[in-house]
């Protein structure tokens, strides 16, 4: 899925962030800075280090002003801002964690925060009264996104979010005898409409250009992991049902024949040439359609992500507090300050992302269109975020995604049954989980 701003693109939030589990040990870290206050003093003063992930280039003034305002609000505090490049960010976190030099407040995606939490280096916000009191300020799904299977607690303040709507081609829906004003909202509706469109077009028009990912299993209502968080369960009957339906789509050409090797760009090109009827996208795509494919642009419909749970998927960034910081009170206060409703709204308007704080999505910026393509997509996406969840387990690594993708391809090609394919994927993912 492509997004409309540089911030989401540099990580694609957890979906495309470096997901390899860091080789951490629960060594005692000194925190990123010194200071006069003890960790448990409760006094907000002293110096802390705040680390972001490739944000200085576009948002230097914003963060400098934010830090200055915090230091003014809490005299005696000093925040040192360190911004790391996107490349090798996971390796940098690993080195800092192992060397005991992890900053006091760290920008992480859920998958990068999970190994830090497992190593005892991320503060459990739920068990610390100074942090837990802020829980009600955030969207429930956003707060839960930094919870780690097998551990109790929440390990990062939710920061900015993203999600994306689905685009669909009204003209293709109408040509297939489907109501162009009633696009599919659930997977059941999607499967039915996709088969109809393939039949009506003689297999020339597919509805989708992408194979199912772990997010699709989540949105379909499949239980991804067991309650202990030590094993995957997406090979349950509902998971097999989902993959079986995709097999039907693939055989009928309702799923594009090139879906097995599709990339976001190639899928977008299929939609652009009107060979595919639905595709996720962003405001940038709308602008591209307007200039490159006017006939498509005038027939563009915007609808929420397909989901049979009633909740769409979201991508999350958070701020983790170092469990070993010497300035716990100041670190918690600053992490909350950066992620409070006022500052999240300001940042969202600058970075074209979405806030994770409860009620902020009711701001007119997220509810009223102004005639631009950007606002059109922003309003559509914001509607779904209030109840959105992160369906990708924080421990689901890139290797696991590859294993699942390989087995899905075998099922679609008829080389394995859907049950056998998912059994094999679960087995491989369980082995990778144990290795981590």
């Amino acid at each position: 899925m492509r997004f409309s701003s540089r911030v989401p693109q540099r990580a694609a939030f957890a979906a495309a962030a470096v997901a390899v589990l860091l080789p951490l040990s629960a060594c005692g870290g000194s925190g990123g800075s010194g200071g006069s206050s003890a960790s448990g003093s409760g006094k907000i003063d002293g110096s802390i280090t705040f680390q972001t992930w490739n944000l200085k280039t576009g948002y230097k003034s914003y963060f400098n002003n934010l830090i200055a305002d915090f230091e003014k609000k809490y005299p005696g505090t000093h925040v040192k801002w360190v911004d790391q490049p996107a490349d090798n960010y996971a390796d940098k976190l690993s080195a800092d964690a192992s060397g005991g030099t992890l900053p006091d407040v760290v920008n992480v995606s859920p998958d990068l925060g999970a190994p830090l939490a497992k190593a005892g280096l991320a503060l459990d916000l739920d068990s610390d009264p100074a942090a837990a009191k802020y829980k009600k300020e955030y969207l429930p799904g956003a707060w839960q996104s930094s919870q780690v299977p097998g551990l109790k607690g929440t390990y990062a303040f939710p920061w900015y979010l993203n999600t994306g709507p689905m685009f669909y081609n009204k003209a293709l829906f109408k040509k297939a005898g489907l109501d162009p004003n009633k696009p599919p909202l659930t997977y059941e509706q999607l499967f039915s409409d996709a088969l109809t469109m393939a039949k009506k077009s003689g297999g020339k028009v597919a509805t989708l250009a992408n194979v199912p990912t772990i997010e699709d299993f989540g949105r379909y209502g499949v239980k991804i992991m067991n309650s202990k968080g030590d094993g995957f369960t997406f090979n349950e009957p509902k998971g097999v049902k989902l993959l079986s339906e995709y097999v039907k789509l693939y055989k009928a050409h309702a799923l594009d024949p090139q879906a097995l090797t599709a990339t976001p760009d190639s899928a977008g090109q299929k939609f652009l040439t009107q060979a595919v009827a639905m595709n996720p996208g962003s405001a940038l795509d709308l602008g591209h359609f307007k200039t490159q494919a006017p006939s498509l642009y005038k027939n563009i419909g915007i609808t929420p992500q397909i989901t049979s749970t009633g909740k769409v998927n979201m991508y999350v960034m958070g701020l983790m507090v170092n469990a070993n910081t010497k300035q716990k009170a100041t670190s918690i206060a600053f992490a909350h300050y950066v992620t409070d409703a006022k500052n999240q709204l300001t940042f969202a308007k600058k970075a074209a992302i979405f806030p994770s704080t409860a009620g902020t999505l009711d701001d007119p910026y997220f509810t009223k269109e102004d005639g631009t393509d950007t606002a059109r997509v922003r309003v559509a996406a914001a509607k779904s975020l209030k109840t959105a969840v992160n369906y990708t387990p924080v421990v689901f690594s890139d290797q696991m995604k590859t294993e699942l993708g390989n087995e899905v391809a075998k099922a679609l090609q008829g080389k394995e049954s859907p049950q056998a394919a998912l059994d094999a994927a679960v087995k491989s993912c369980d082995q990778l989980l144990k290795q981590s």
Side-chain angles (χ1 to χ4, degrees):
M1 182 178 294
R2 291 174 291 170
F3 294 112
S4 60
S5 72
R6 188 189 63 79
V7 172
Q9 285 177 330
R10 55 95 172 166
F13 291 70
V18 179
V20 62
L21 295 180
L22 311 183
L24 304 178
S25 60
C27 55
S30 62
S33 59
S36 60
S37 298
S39 174
S41 69
K43 187 177 182 181
I44 301 175
D45 67 359
S47 298
I48 64 170
T49 299
F50 165 50
Q51 179 171 288
T52 53
W53 183 1
N54 195 29
L55 292 176
K56 181 167 284 189
T57 300
Y59 308 100
K60 183 177 180 179
S61 296
Y62 169 78
F63 285 106
N64 283 338
N65 291 333
L66 185 71
I67 289 169
D69 290 343
F70 177 81
E71 293 174 344
K72 182 179 180 180
K73 181 176 181 179
Y74 297 103
T77 62
H78 174 70
V79 179
K80 178 183 178 182
W81 177 30
V82 177
D83 187 64
Q84 299 291 346
D87 293 340
N88 302 316
Y89 187 66
D91 293 337
K92 174 62 176 172
L93 287 179
S94 179
D96 285 344
S98 298
T101 57
L102 198 67
D104 301 280
V105 178
V106 187
N107 178 191
V108 294
S109 55
D111 58 316
L112 294 186
L116 295 170
K118 287 186 174 182
L121 299 177
L123 181 69
D124 175 10
L125 306 183
D126 290 334
S127 64
D128 191 294
K133 65 182 180 182
Y134 298 124
K135 178 179 179 179
K136 62 182 181 297
E137 297 182 15
Y138 301 89
L139 295 170
W143 187 266
Q144 294 165 8
S145 67
S146 289
Q147 294 174 353
V148 181
L151 297 180
K152 293 182 179 180
T154 301
Y155 295 92
F157 282 98
W159 194 6
Y160 53 91
L161 312 176
N162 216 332
T163 190
M166 289 287 288
F167 292 145
Y168 70 99
N169 188 320
K170 290 185 176 181
L172 292 180
F173 270 72
K174 185 176 181 180
K175 190 174 182 179
L178 300 168
D179 190 336
N181 296 314
K182 292 183 179 180
L185 298 176
T186 68
Y187 281 91
E188 290 76 14
Q189 294 168 346
L190 171 66
F191 299 146
S192 176
D193 287 356
L195 290 173
T196 296
M197 188 169 296
K199 183 177 180 180
K200 292 286 186 178
S201 67
K204 294 181 180 180
V205 178
T207 298
L208 299 175
N210 295 292
V211 299
T213 64
I214 197 66
E215 295 166 10
D216 288 292
F217 284 86
R219 285 187 295 238
Y220 191 59
V222 178
K223 185 177 180 181
I224 306 297
M225 297 194 78
N226 62 30
S227 58
K228 294 181 179 180
D230 61 0
F232 292 97
T233 57
F234 53 81
N235 59 337
E236 67 172 15
K238 202 161 192 176
V240 176
K241 174 66 174 175
L242 175 68
L243 185 51
S244 298
E245 293 296 335
Y246 267 89
V247 170
K248 294 178 184 177
L249 297 187
Y250 190 70
K251 289 180 178 179
H253 286 194
L255 177 63
D256 187 77
Q258 298 177 16
L260 298 181
T261 58
T263 65
D265 285 340
S266 66
Q269 186 63 27
K270 287 279 186 177
F271 185 74
L272 180 72
T273 58
Q274 303 190 59
V276 169
M278 300 189 78
N279 199 57
S282 70
L284 286 181
D285 293 310
L286 269 185
H288 184 60
F289 298 154
K290 189 173 185 178
T291 58
Q292 299 297 319
S295 62
L296 169 64
Y297 180 78
K298 71 179 182 181
N299 287 301
I300 283 288
I302 301 177
T303 189
Q305 296 173 20
I306 304 297
T307 170
S308 294
T309 64
K311 297 180 180 181
V312 304
N313 186 71
M314 67 177 169
Y315 304 96
V316 189
M317 276 291 167
L319 289 185
M320 185 202 83
V321 174
N322 184 349
N324 296 316
T325 176
K326 293 180 179 179
Q327 297 286 0
K328 185 170 73 170
T330 305
S331 297
I332 291 173
F334 182 72
H336 171 256
Y337 187 77
V338 175
T339 62
D340 70 16
K342 176 178 177 293
N343 288 316
Q344 283 214 46
L345 179 59
T346 301
F347 190 45
K349 291 181 178 180
K350 290 180 177 295
I353 40 81
F354 299 90
S356 62
T357 43
T360 314
L361 290 171
D362 293 326
D363 186 271
Y365 181 73
F366 300 109
T367 59
K368 295 184 179 180
E369 295 187 22
D370 58 11
T372 65
D373 286 336
T374 299
R376 188 180 175 191
V377 174
R378 180 175 65 239
V379 170
K383 287 180 181 178
S384 61
L385 271 173
K386 293 181 182 180
T387 59
V389 298
N390 181 10
Y391 286 110
T392 304
V394 297
V395 296
F396 200 74
S397 68
D398 276 354
Q399 287 178 285
M400 296 175 187
K401 294 173 187 176
T402 298
E403 291 293 335
L404 175 59
N406 289 340
E407 293 300 331
V408 165
K410 292 177 183 178
L412 294 178
Q413 294 171 315
K415 296 179 179 179
E416 290 181 347
S417 70
Q419 182 71 69
L422 293 183
D423 286 345
V426 164
K427 182 178 180 180
S428 296
C429 291
D430 282 346
Q431 289 174 342
L432 289 169
L433 184 62
K434 292 177 180 178
Q435 293 172 9
S436 68

